[in-house]
Amino acid sequence: MDDILLMLPGPTTVDPRVLQAMAKDVVNHRGDEFGEIYTETTKLMSKTFQTKNDSYIITGSGTAAMEAAIANTIPRGEKVLNAVGGKFGERLADITKVHGMESKVLDVEWGTAVTADKIEEALEADEDIKAVTVIHNETSTGVAQPIEEIGKVMKNYDALFIVDTVSSLCGDAVDVDKYGIDVCFTGSQKCIAAPPGLSAITLSDDAWAAAEKIDAPTYYLNMLKYRDNGNKTPAQTPYTPSVSLIYAMKKALEIVQEEGLDARVARHHNAAAATRAAVKALGLELFPDEDVSSATVTAVKMPEGITDSQLRGTMLDKYGVQLAGGQDHLKGNIIRIGHMGVISYKELAITFTALGLTLKGLGCDVDPGAGVAALANFY
């Protein structure tokens, strides 16, 4: 397994320094030493979110933060506009319904992006909408949503703006304060490039005001408890955290700052452009239009006459490169190439060498080196 190159939309390859950080002795999670580490980690998290608001680390995957975002800020029975154009948009809508809110789904075709105009139309049509949820980077389709433009619309309405940046933070532009995001959350194992198992969340003053007015129907994910415990001396989490994973998150965020957030985002955008060029050079077709394509994962239509098991199976078994398949009705119809985290030219070159050889071996009329050659224009 050590020889497998993960080119997935998470989990991603982890820097050796991050892995080494987890080797540090476990300390008392109620003591001064951990309190200092936790405080430094949450401050780094706020810096990464680009917000003046405090951030909190949850021991749980991105779905835990999804649920915390919904359960803590919207009363039962109220309306939530869920923008849905993929599997994770559906998940937020499901969480909305589980917690007793009325989900008003704004459906967009998978492979396309929701527009700020559509959000505005929905808000104009129903003044009772209390929150709008958007998946910034829909990994199931390889589509990036225009959260900055949506944020400009949201500033004209009282509804909370809730944004999932699980697979975009550190890989695409996310500026919580500038974009007017009220609740923003992310996961550890994507562009941050830490191990799976943690999520992070930050709330605006308006979101906290909403949270203080309701009795959140969640115990473990109660954000008022996270805030109260985070304000203690030493800072704590309300329940036992994954101490070692927080060591890893801290180191991963330090590496982000070391690279520079803007530089890291630019690197991801360059890798995405290079990936799209390489895909087209091999005669393959992108799933979404390029103008809405993700900066962190590229979705590609399956070549005609080739099955998912043939393509991805050969990539993995013969060349040691692991790609992701499609989800839901896209299963067997697309492949997804993750280019997030510590990805560089080397990983992309290995991937497209393997992909070119795989296509050639499966009988496609293709120059197997065309993909790698296309990368050269970007590196």
Side-chain angles (χ1 to χ4, degrees), residues 202-232:
T202 186
L203 285 75
S204 70
D205 290 343
D206 286 345
W208 281 119
E212 289 164 357
K213 292 176 183 176
I214 65 175
D215 184 13
T218 176
Y219 188 85
Y220 184 72
L221 299 175
N222 188 304
M223 290 311 302
L224 293 177
K225 293 180 180 178
Y226 273 85
R227 186 178 65 175
D228 290 345
N229 281 269
N231 287 335
K232 289 180 178 178

Side-chain angles (χ1 to χ4, degrees), residues 4-15 170-171 189-193 255 259 263-275 295-298 321-323 337-352 375 379:
I4 301 300
L5 173 59
L6 295 180
M7 296 299 287
L8 304 169
T12 58
T13 300
V14 177
D15 189 296
C170 297
Q189 80 279 16
K190 307 281 187 173
C191 304
I192 293 174
I255 291 171
E259 181 177 4
R264 194 178 185 92
V265 168
R267 174 168 60 78
H268 279 78
H269 276 266
N270 187 64
T275 297
T296 66
V297 57
T298 296
V321 178
Q322 190 163 32
L323 307 182
I337 304 169
H339 34 79
M340 56 178 73
V342 296
I343 295 303
S344 66
Y345 170 78
K346 180 181 78 172
E347 289 80 16
L348 290 176
I350 293 170
T351 299
F352 280 99
L375 296 175
Y379 290 94

